[in-house]
Short mmCIF file of all heavy atoms in Angstrom, two decimals:
data_model
loop_
_atom_site.label_atom_id
_atom_site.label_comp_id
_atom_site.label_asym_id
_atom_site.label_seq_id
_atom_site.Cartn_x
_atom_site.Cartn_y
_atom_site.Cartn_z
N GLN A 629 -30.46 -104.25 30.18
CA GLN A 629 -29.60 -103.06 30.18
C GLN A 629 -29.27 -102.49 28.90
O GLN A 629 -28.96 -101.15 28.90
CB GLN A 629 -28.33 -103.46 30.96
CG GLN A 629 -28.44 -103.71 32.38
CD GLN A 629 -27.19 -104.20 33.09
OE1 GLN A 629 -26.24 -104.21 32.56
NE2 GLN A 629 -27.36 -104.62 34.41
N PRO A 630 -29.34 -103.09 27.75
CA PRO A 630 -28.82 -102.52 26.54
C PRO A 630 -29.84 -101.25 26.20
O PRO A 630 -29.26 -100.27 25.58
CB PRO A 630 -29.00 -103.59 25.46
CG PRO A 630 -28.75 -104.78 26.22
CD PRO A 630 -29.31 -104.67 27.54
N PHE A 631 -31.03 -101.36 26.60
CA PHE A 631 -31.99 -100.18 26.30
C PHE A 631 -32.29 -99.53 27.49
O PHE A 631 -32.43 -100.20 28.68
CB PHE A 631 -33.24 -100.82 25.51
CG PHE A 631 -32.99 -101.12 24.18
CD1 PHE A 631 -34.05 -101.88 23.53
CD2 PHE A 631 -31.84 -100.94 23.43
CE1 PHE A 631 -33.84 -102.34 22.15
CE2 PHE A 631 -31.74 -101.23 22.14
CZ PHE A 631 -32.83 -102.09 21.59
N THR A 632 -32.63 -98.23 27.36
CA THR A 632 -33.17 -97.46 28.50
C THR A 632 -34.79 -97.77 28.68
O THR A 632 -35.29 -98.41 27.76
CB THR A 632 -32.96 -96.05 28.30
OG1 THR A 632 -33.70 -95.65 27.06
CG2 THR A 632 -31.55 -95.62 28.13
N VAL A 633 -35.20 -97.48 29.72
CA VAL A 633 -36.69 -97.75 29.97
C VAL A 633 -37.53 -96.97 28.93
O VAL A 633 -38.45 -97.58 28.36
CB VAL A 633 -37.15 -97.17 31.36
CG1 VAL A 633 -38.53 -97.32 31.61
CG2 VAL A 633 -36.32 -97.95 32.50
N MET A 635 -36.71 -96.39 25.82
CA MET A 635 -36.48 -97.04 24.66
C MET A 635 -37.30 -98.34 24.64
O MET A 635 -38.01 -98.70 23.66
CB MET A 635 -35.00 -97.42 24.45
CG MET A 635 -34.69 -98.18 23.23
SD MET A 635 -35.08 -97.16 21.67
CE MET A 635 -34.71 -98.45 20.41
N TRP A 636 -37.43 -98.99 25.66
CA TRP A 636 -38.30 -100.29 25.82
C TRP A 636 -39.65 -99.82 25.70
O TRP A 636 -40.42 -100.56 24.76
CB TRP A 636 -38.03 -100.96 27.12
CG TRP A 636 -36.76 -101.86 27.24
CD1 TRP A 636 -35.75 -101.56 28.08
CD2 TRP A 636 -36.55 -102.90 26.45
NE1 TRP A 636 -34.77 -102.65 27.85
CE2 TRP A 636 -35.27 -103.49 26.89
CE3 TRP A 636 -37.25 -103.71 25.54
CZ2 TRP A 636 -34.77 -104.62 26.40
CZ3 TRP A 636 -36.59 -104.79 24.87
CH2 TRP A 636 -35.37 -105.28 25.44
N ILE A 706 -32.66 -102.83 12.57
CA ILE A 706 -31.61 -101.98 13.18
C ILE A 706 -31.70 -102.08 14.69
O ILE A 706 -30.58 -102.22 15.34
CB ILE A 706 -31.85 -100.46 12.82
CG1 ILE A 706 -31.81 -100.30 11.26
CG2 ILE A 706 -30.83 -99.58 13.56
CD1 ILE A 706 -30.44 -100.63 10.70
N ILE A 707 -32.84 -102.08 15.23
CA ILE A 707 -33.03 -102.27 16.74
C ILE A 707 -32.52 -103.58 17.16
O ILE A 707 -31.73 -103.71 18.17
CB ILE A 707 -34.46 -102.12 17.09
CG1 ILE A 707 -35.00 -100.72 16.78
CG2 ILE A 707 -34.73 -102.57 18.55
CD1 ILE A 707 -36.47 -100.51 17.10
N SER A 709 -30.15 -105.57 15.75
CA SER A 709 -28.69 -105.55 15.58
C SER A 709 -28.05 -104.76 16.74
O SER A 709 -27.09 -105.15 17.36
CB SER A 709 -28.27 -104.94 14.25
OG SER A 709 -28.83 -105.75 13.16
N SER A 710 -28.58 -103.59 17.17
CA SER A 710 -27.94 -102.77 18.11
C SER A 710 -28.14 -103.38 19.44
O SER A 710 -27.21 -103.39 20.30
CB SER A 710 -28.71 -101.39 18.21
OG SER A 710 -28.60 -100.84 16.84
N TYR A 711 -29.32 -104.08 19.67
CA TYR A 711 -29.55 -104.70 21.00
C TYR A 711 -28.47 -105.77 21.10
O TYR A 711 -27.84 -105.96 22.23
CB TYR A 711 -30.98 -105.12 21.10
CG TYR A 711 -31.25 -106.03 22.31
CD1 TYR A 711 -31.64 -105.43 23.46
CD2 TYR A 711 -31.13 -107.41 22.27
CE1 TYR A 711 -31.84 -106.12 24.63
CE2 TYR A 711 -31.45 -108.16 23.36
CZ TYR A 711 -31.70 -107.53 24.64
OH TYR A 711 -31.95 -108.27 25.63
N THR A 712 -28.41 -106.60 20.12
CA THR A 712 -27.45 -107.83 20.20
C THR A 712 -25.97 -107.35 20.44
O THR A 712 -25.35 -107.99 21.30
CB THR A 712 -27.55 -108.58 18.89
OG1 THR A 712 -28.97 -108.96 18.64
CG2 THR A 712 -26.67 -109.88 18.95
N ALA A 713 -25.60 -106.28 19.78
CA ALA A 713 -24.18 -105.87 19.92
C ALA A 713 -23.97 -105.39 21.39
O ALA A 713 -22.91 -105.62 21.97
CB ALA A 713 -23.93 -104.76 18.90
N ASN A 714 -24.86 -104.52 21.83
CA ASN A 714 -24.72 -104.11 23.18
C ASN A 714 -24.79 -105.04 24.26
O ASN A 714 -24.12 -104.94 25.30
CB ASN A 714 -25.76 -102.81 23.34
CG ASN A 714 -25.38 -101.85 24.33
OD1 ASN A 714 -24.08 -101.57 24.59
ND2 ASN A 714 -26.31 -101.28 24.99
N LEU A 715 -25.69 -105.92 24.07
CA LEU A 715 -25.87 -106.96 25.13
C LEU A 715 -24.45 -107.84 25.19
O LEU A 715 -24.11 -108.20 26.23
CB LEU A 715 -27.02 -107.83 24.79
CG LEU A 715 -27.29 -109.04 25.82
CD1 LEU A 715 -27.64 -108.39 27.18
CD2 LEU A 715 -28.45 -109.86 25.40
N SER A 867 -21.67 -94.15 29.74
CA SER A 867 -22.92 -95.03 29.60
C SER A 867 -22.95 -95.72 28.32
O SER A 867 -22.83 -95.05 27.33
CB SER A 867 -24.08 -94.07 29.90
OG SER A 867 -25.21 -94.98 29.72
N ASN A 868 -23.00 -97.02 28.32
CA ASN A 868 -23.17 -97.87 27.11
C ASN A 868 -24.60 -98.12 26.69
O ASN A 868 -24.82 -98.88 25.72
CB ASN A 868 -22.52 -99.16 27.22
CG ASN A 868 -20.95 -98.87 27.47
OD1 ASN A 868 -20.35 -98.05 26.67
ND2 ASN A 868 -20.29 -99.72 28.21
N ARG A 869 -25.56 -97.71 27.44
CA ARG A 869 -26.93 -97.98 27.23
C ARG A 869 -27.41 -97.17 25.99
O ARG A 869 -27.01 -96.03 25.77
CB ARG A 869 -27.80 -97.64 28.38
CG ARG A 869 -27.33 -98.28 29.70
CD ARG A 869 -28.23 -98.15 30.87
NE ARG A 869 -29.47 -98.87 30.80
CZ ARG A 869 -30.47 -98.75 31.64
NH1 ARG A 869 -30.37 -97.99 32.61
NH2 ARG A 869 -31.53 -99.55 31.54
N LEU A 870 -28.31 -97.79 25.21
CA LEU A 870 -28.79 -97.17 24.05
C LEU A 870 -30.00 -96.43 24.42
O LEU A 870 -30.95 -96.88 24.95
CB LEU A 870 -29.08 -98.17 22.90
CG LEU A 870 -27.99 -99.10 22.48
CD1 LEU A 870 -28.45 -100.20 21.59
CD2 LEU A 870 -26.89 -98.23 21.73
N HIS A 871 -29.98 -95.16 23.95
CA HIS A 871 -31.12 -94.14 24.24
C HIS A 871 -32.02 -94.05 23.04
O HIS A 871 -31.71 -94.31 21.98
CB HIS A 871 -30.50 -92.84 24.60
CG HIS A 871 -29.70 -92.85 25.85
ND1 HIS A 871 -30.09 -92.68 27.10
CD2 HIS A 871 -28.34 -93.23 26.03
CE1 HIS A 871 -29.17 -92.72 28.02
NE2 HIS A 871 -28.02 -93.16 27.34
N LEU A 872 -33.21 -93.46 23.33
CA LEU A 872 -34.21 -93.40 22.31
C LEU A 872 -33.76 -92.35 21.18
O LEU A 872 -34.04 -92.58 20.05
CB LEU A 872 -35.49 -92.84 22.99
CG LEU A 872 -36.59 -92.37 22.07
CD1 LEU A 872 -37.10 -93.67 21.38
CD2 LEU A 872 -37.79 -91.66 22.79
N SER A 873 -32.87 -91.40 21.58
CA SER A 873 -32.45 -90.39 20.63
C SER A 873 -31.63 -91.13 19.48
O SER A 873 -31.58 -90.53 18.45
CB SER A 873 -31.56 -89.38 21.36
OG SER A 873 -30.53 -89.97 22.04
N SER A 874 -30.99 -92.27 19.73
CA SER A 874 -30.30 -92.82 18.68
C SER A 874 -31.17 -93.45 17.67
O SER A 874 -30.75 -93.61 16.50
CB SER A 874 -29.43 -93.97 19.38
OG SER A 874 -28.57 -93.55 20.36
N PHE A 875 -32.44 -93.73 17.94
CA PHE A 875 -33.28 -94.35 17.03
C PHE A 875 -34.64 -93.49 16.71
O PHE A 875 -35.61 -93.85 16.05
CB PHE A 875 -33.88 -95.66 17.58
CG PHE A 875 -32.76 -96.66 17.92
CD1 PHE A 875 -32.26 -96.66 19.18
CD2 PHE A 875 -32.30 -97.47 16.93
CE1 PHE A 875 -31.34 -97.53 19.48
CE2 PHE A 875 -31.25 -98.42 17.35
CZ PHE A 875 -30.81 -98.40 18.62
#
Side-chain angles (χ1 to χ4, degrees):
Q629 292 180 4
F631 287 165
T632 61
V633 175
M635 180 64 186
W636 280 117
I706 301 300
I707 293 176
S709 301
S710 302
Y711 175 85
T712 302
N714 203 27
L715 181 62
S867 176
N868 293 322
R869 307 182 76 181
L870 297 174
H871 297 267
L872 175 62
S873 58
S874 302
F875 304 91

